[in-house]
Amino acid sequence: MAETPEKLTKPYEPANTESRIYKLWEDSGFFNPDSLPERHKEPFTIIMPPPNANGRLHAGHGLTIALEDIMTRYQRMQGKKALWVPGADHAGFETQVVYEKKLEKEGRSRFKMDRKELYDEIMAFTLESKKHMEADVKALGASCDWSREKFTLDPSVVAEVQETFRKMYRDNLVYRGYRTVNWCTKHQTSLSDVETENVEKADKLYYIKYGPFVVATVRPETIFGDVAVAVNPTDERYKKFIGQTIEVQHPEGKLSLIVISDEEVDPEFGTGALKITPSHDNNDFRMSETHKLPRVEVIDQFGKLNEKTGKYAGMKILEARIKVVEDLQVLELIEKIEDYTHAVPTCYKCGTTIEPRVMPQWFVKMAPLAKLAADAVRDEKIKFIPDNFEKIFLYWMDNTMDWNISRQIVWGIQIPALICAHCNAGALDTDHREGDSCPTCGKPLTTETDTFDTWFSSGQWPLLALGYPEKADLGFYPTDVMETGRDLIFKWIPRMVIFGLYLVKEVPFRTVYLHGMVNDKHGKKMSKSKGNVVSPIDLTDKYGADALRIGLVIGNTPGNDLALVEDKIKGYKHFCNKIWNATRFVLTNIGDMTLDTPRPALTKRDEEILTELGKAITSITLHYENFRFHLAGEELYHYFWNTFADVIIEEMKPRLASADPVSKKSAQWLLLNILATNIKMLHPFMPFITEEIWGILPRESKSLLLVEPWPKPF
RNA sequence: GGGCGAUUAGCUCAGAUGGUUAGAGCGUUACAUUGACAUUGUAAAGGUCGGAGGUUCGAUUCCCCCAUCGCCCACCA
């Protein structure tokens, strides 16, 4: 028998309820699909985007958890064998950056620590942060299966990520290349293209007298590394110079440079003559390959000019630029200087201008893999919500460049390979050992110390989270939905599709649901430096997880950004209270009626009310099915408040007080059953308060609302 | 230089396949209320649905153009 209505405190206090209810669910074992009752057969799977284990959850995570939990709980009630796999991401570079800031504050530096010491410290920090992160996920009510939780540095995960690398190496899809990479001079690592951010920058365009030419450049300090001058083959002005060697003067002497012609030179830009510095410009490097030009490195890994620049050696790039320009002016080699605004790639974490640097690194050959992914999407194996992201995805897949997966940081999964410092070749750790002769040049091989780009492991996450290659859980693959922020359309989604297709020849998920960014109340991006960060946990403490969840989801359409207004969350706390009080009213007015009481004779008006409820159930269910959670939530809200509370309850009051037992009994039955139906349909949005209420509704069974069947029209 | 999204009530936003007086929350105004709930109820004010054209019997909704804001992508030095 249910507990007495006296248990209904006034008003509803989430703080007293939520942790107790969460424990009830965990103890039930129903988060684990294998423990669900018999009726749950067909799998429904979501892999949680593993939050970074380097801090607390932010507002965006709140929306992620809310949406994914809504889907999972809805499908579980619909009788699916629902699995939501939680995880934690070591978040390679990101965490290393967080930790380096911490070291800086303590007056320490990673560059003064040995690799193992640094790794162990970051591991301790990460494992500690992971606990907080997990507590936050629980506080938001996530009904995920903690028994299956995976960490991206679990030994089994590490081993499998490395195995994928070996497989790709053997399949000729990963190779050791020597070419320009994005180098961050602060963090001392290369970065992939998606880890750089192009920033508009006001610079100067210097026109330098350059033998018989004038060349325009924003980087005069690289002149010492120039190896050629390039012109367009059709440029009448310069045709006669092509193939000749010219003499170029600079402050430290003279250069003898060959004049080459290349289609890529735009005759319209600058003077139509381009100085070629292969070691410090991506485009120039490519020309050096096609034209077999030498390469002269003049800037080192710290962004300082090296010994090849004479008196400028040791100067930082910007310092050297000023000095070189001054000296060129003295030599009367500067023709003019123009203001120039252009986009410059910067490190997305520290904003340092990226220094293109030619280095040996590991690359993934993208073209054949991207084609697999694009074909799968064109064949409609994957559906995007909202659908315009399909176009963005395809554009991206049709224009890929090879992916640099080497990072010069310790925090991550080590690349299982050996490298040759002499000829830049690479070999698998399964084929060679430290000290073996390089298969290419015969010199001794050394063990690779670089780690993987974190997206190399995250990209395999849907499989790894299900324990691949072990078969036990692969029945949950392909998963049903991948729900994540729209900013991950480039960074993460394509890589998961690619690895899924490559490793098991099946897409990792059938539907991609992308939510927008959660911004502050003015619609501005949240950032620590702006001080406008709103913590979902603070809001949960203040208004309850239920209010936060429904407040985040209602009014937010997929793909569109959301302005997080605290008053809105507050409004849904009021809604919680409304639900609570309506429940108190019903329970104190139904006598000994229970949910097991058979349906009594109803009046015509009662039938009308039930018909209307049936329509609401149908409509709300359809919204759930079609990922229109904002509409499902809104309709639930309005039905409960404006129809059930304002109209139906008010209408029943006289009947509850009436002496006519038939009229009274039907009113009681109606109220109790409409309430229960609403509680069920609200559960995915507001799991705590609804489970609490379900626990005190009078009925024989002691079952949890968590696994209650989804209601059907009466 | 490309691409995408937005532009609807004071504020934050909904309006799925075009169709009766365009909606919500918050805010505002008036009134009510000791019996589920002031975290309330009833009612009201408030919008030429960014601008110009087109398709249609009919467009906030579909098409074209323009404007403003925002986001993303981009190796023209």
Side-chain angles (χ1 to χ4, degrees), chain A residues 3 7 13-25 27 688 692:
Chain A
E3 291 165 73
K7 179 152 186 221
E13 279 307 333
N16 301 333
T17 311
E18 295 182 350
S19 55
R20 174 167 47 81
I21 294 284
Y22 198 85
K23 186 162 188 315
L24 210 59
W25 291 328
D27 292 347
F688 291 110
E692 176 76 346

Side-chain angles (χ1 to χ4, degrees), chain A residues 571-586:
Chain A
Y572 289 107
K573 187 182 181 190
H574 296 178
F575 182 46
C576 290
N577 194 55
K578 190 76 186 178
I579 295 171
W580 192 247
N581 280 302
T583 303
R584 290 175 61 207
F585 176 80
V586 171

